[in-house]
Amino acid sequence: MKAQKRMCRQGQVPGLDPVATDQNTCLCHTPGRRPIVAICVAAWYMAGVVGAALADGVATVGAHEGHAAGVAAGTAAAAGPADEPAAAETGTTDAADHFWPQWRGPRFTGVAPYADPPLEWSNDRNIRWKVALPGRGHSSPVVWGDRVYLTAAVPYGNPLEPRYSGAPGAHDNVSVRHRYEFVVFAVNRVDGSIIWQRTVHRDLPHEGGHYSGSLASASPITDGEHVFAFFGSRGLYCLGRDGEVIWQKDLGRMQTKHGHGEGSSPVLYGDTLVVSWDHEGPSFLVAFDRETGRELWKIPRDEPSSWATPVVIAHGDRRQLIVPGTNRMRGYDLADGRVIWACGGLAANIVASPVAGGGMAFAGSSYDKRAMIAVRLGDAAGDITATDHVAWRRVRGVPYVPSLLLYDDILYFLAHYQGVMTRLHAPTGSDRPGAFRLPDIGDVYASPVAAAGRVYVTDRAGSTLVIAHDDESRFLASNQLNDTFNASAALAGCELFLRGQDYLYCIAEDGTD
């Protein structure tokens, strides 16, 4: 790796003097490219900055700390790019916008508003570091400050006689042959070293899940002060920055359709952490206080198994929790869990997570049928299935596994889990330019992500196609890593983090050449 020095530019991190560091410490502006936010880990911690909490859309630390934790360079405004869902709409702080704090990023859209990740990489180019982690997990990494957090299920002890779930209609499942430790990792963002790993539970799972799945598929969440790790039937855990367990919850035993395993991630908005528990038994939504773990509300859901993660959007004087389902896509009041509106029309087995922005919510599914719905939130109330609150519907090219991506007013999604992408105008559903085939892309489980005018699609075989975020959808680069990928990428600063079956990768332009 090059040993060149870099300088965090004065003004990019207000209140701090420019600090010269090795290239692998200063995660900031790349010479020759447009200015972006400076993310200098060394500077933060010299100043004692830990990070801002997500407190109802407002940073709870002092002005100096809140700005030092993440500030846009150049002319970028604190609220983000002009057409992106505003931080106030999605409940994030300025600090959170410069990291990747939870599944689908800081605004639940798949977009990192201030990141500028690399365009090109390979097995021996632009890899700042890669690290092998024990166990297996398809949870996506999350990033805050100098930490990357992720989860895994690690087998231990002697092999056991194979056990199967016995679920009705079970197929393509793996047997349980080991007991497992359920582990949370904190990885050093600078060099990939493991800062700590904490086993929060040990168990003999009752389901092995689908052969392509994992026992640690729900992505963690961080607010810079806590890490929230959800292992489904193995519990929900709140950990501190040093890995200590602050509180934990046992939500019961989930029985998924066909025994295919668990995967929905929690969602954090302000001080409220929500878990969706859709399965073949009594389904429910439950909300907790992020600091104490106190249950705020719990409501039943008339829904079978779902793997989708909810999203939250501020609309009018309410914060709406958007949750898709086989029977209904619903908007709930985040304050008390009451249903605001409901809309029918999606398929069974909802996997792809919805997106919301600009006063609308979007969800898609592809299992027993193909369906996508766009809802105008407006004054939507009650059953809106046959009303003009449904802005448009679509049945072609809709997703099964990968989630939707909302970038400005453009909606991206993949057909089922194949290499055909659709790009359309979100408010109207009109093609911009519609469906197009992705070269060198096979089956895709990872959800697309975007930043700096580019869209990134990673397939299971390690190919990542980079696409221009414009009406022509130009193909900018095709990159290959010799690994298998099911987790989605995380984008922060100048870096792209990919979790493969074998390694966790930090991809950066100043990596190995």
Side-chain angles (χ1 to χ4, degrees), residues 158-171:
N158 295 324
L160 307 173
E161 288 295 317
R163 294 169 44 133
Y164 290 90
S165 68
H171 62 277

Side-chain angles (χ1 to χ4, degrees), residues 120-127 129-130 458-464 478-485 496-500 502-507 512:
E120 297 179 319
W121 63 86
S122 66
N123 291 297
D124 55 7
R125 182 186 178 202
N126 286 340
I127 305 297
W129 51 259
K130 67 178 184 180
T458 300
D459 75 4
R460 300 191 70 208
S463 293
T464 298
S478 182
N479 307 297
Q480 181 68 43
L481 293 174
N482 295 336
D483 206 337
T484 301
F485 295 89
L496 184 147
F497 297 89
L498 278 174
R499 186 204 189 141
D502 298 328
Y503 297 99
L504 172 67
Y505 299 80
C506 175
I507 299 169
T512 54

Side-chain angles (χ1 to χ4, degrees), residues 58-137:
V58 180
T60 58
V61 296
H64 168 74
E65 292 172 320
H67 286 290
V71 179
T75 59
D83 292 327
E84 283 297 305
E89 190 178 30
T90 53
T92 60
T93 64
D94 289 349
D97 264 354
H98 297 287
F99 304 116
W100 194 269
Q102 59 186 316
W103 168 244
R104 304 311 287 144
R107 300 186 183 180
F108 316 120
T109 59
V111 177
Y114 297 119
D116 191 1
L119 180 64
E120 297 179 319
W121 63 86
S122 66
N123 291 297
D124 55 7
R125 182 186 178 202
N126 286 340
I127 305 297
R128 175 172 284 156
W129 51 259
K130 67 178 184 180
V131 59
L133 299 173
R136 179 172 177 171

Side-chain angles (χ1 to χ4, degrees), residues 151-492:
T151 62
V154 182
Y156 74 94
N158 295 324
L160 307 173
E161 288 295 317
R163 294 169 44 133
Y164 290 90
S165 68
H171 62 277
D172 296 329
N173 290 357
V174 296
S175 61
V176 176
R177 296 172 179 266
H178 283 92
R179 291 180 171 85
Y180 285 84
E181 295 181 332
F182 294 86
V183 182
V184 183
F185 296 92
V187 176
N188 190 313
R189 182 175 167 186
V190 173
D191 59 17
S193 59
I194 297 177
I195 299 172
W196 51 258
Q197 65 181 76
R198 183 73 64 231
T199 297
V200 295
H201 190 75
R202 291 180 174 88
D203 193 21
L204 178 65
H206 63 283
E207 294 178 344
H210 193 269
Y211 72 88
S212 66
S214 80
L215 293 169
S217 290
S219 297
I221 298 173
T222 181
D223 59 9
E225 298 176 351
H226 311 87
V227 183
F228 304 94
F230 181 50
F231 292 101
S233 297
R234 270 66 64 177
L236 172 67
Y237 301 86
C238 171
L239 293 81
R241 269 183 54 85
D242 294 327
E244 74 280 13
V245 175
I246 298 173
W247 56 261
Q248 63 189 72
K249 298 291 177 180
D250 180 355
L251 301 183
R253 178 163 158 162
M254 184 175 281
Q255 201 74 46
T256 60
K257 187 173 183 177
H258 306 321
H260 276 175
E262 306 168 16
S264 177
S265 301
V267 61
L268 176 66
Y269 186 105
D271 284 330
T272 304
L273 183 75
V274 178
V275 170
S276 178
W277 188 275
D278 286 352
H279 70 139
E280 300 307 288
S283 297
F284 58 85
L285 281 172
V286 60
F288 301 100
D289 179 87
R290 72 179 176 99
E291 292 278 0
T292 65
R294 178 175 62 89
E295 184 177 302
L296 302 176
W297 50 260
K298 181 178 180 181
I299 55 134
R301 273 172 58 78
D302 178 21
E303 294 290 349
S305 295
S306 168
W307 291 264
T309 297
V311 300
V312 183
I313 185 171
H315 181 71
D317 59 355
R318 283 173 164 167
R319 289 155 179 81
Q320 292 197 23
L321 177 71
I322 312 298
V323 190
T326 298
N327 297 326
R328 291 287 190 274
M329 173 184 177
R330 297 176 179 87
Y332 296 85
D333 192 327
L334 185 65
D336 54 21
R338 287 184 293 180
V339 176
I340 301 170
W341 56 265
C343 182
L346 292 175
N349 285 22
I350 310 296
V351 179
S353 296
V355 290
M360 297 184 70
F362 310 88
S365 56
S366 174
Y367 185 67
D368 55 332
K369 64 180 181 180
R370 297 175 178 85
M372 180 172 285
I373 301 172
V375 173
R376 295 188 188 96
L377 298 178
D379 58 354
D383 188 344
I384 64 168
T385 305
T387 73
D388 58 8
H389 282 290
V390 179
W392 51 263
R393 295 178 183 267
R394 191 179 184 98
V395 297
R396 301 189 314 277
V398 298
Y400 178 34
V401 178
S403 294
L404 287 71
L405 169 69
L406 181 62
Y407 197 176
D408 301 327
D409 61 354
I410 298 297
L411 192 64
Y412 293 90
F413 49 90
L414 293 160
H416 205 65
Y417 52 77
Q418 278 83 43
V420 177
M421 174 167 271
T422 295
R423 183 183 192 274
L424 55 79
H425 183 235
T428 63
S430 59
D431 289 346
R432 295 274 184 89
F436 53 95
R437 189 167 296 279
L438 305 179
D440 304 321
I441 294 294
D443 288 350
V444 181
Y445 283 5
S447 297
V449 295
R454 300 184 292 273
V455 174
Y456 294 75
V457 180
T458 300
D459 75 4
R460 300 191 70 208
S463 293
T464 298
L465 186 66
V466 186
I467 306 161
H469 173 52
D470 58 30
D471 286 348
E472 297 178 3
S473 298
R474 294 167 291 120
F475 303 133
L476 303 177
S478 182
N479 307 297
Q480 181 68 43
L481 293 174
N482 295 336
D483 206 337
T484 301
F485 295 89
N486 295 294
S488 300
L491 310 176

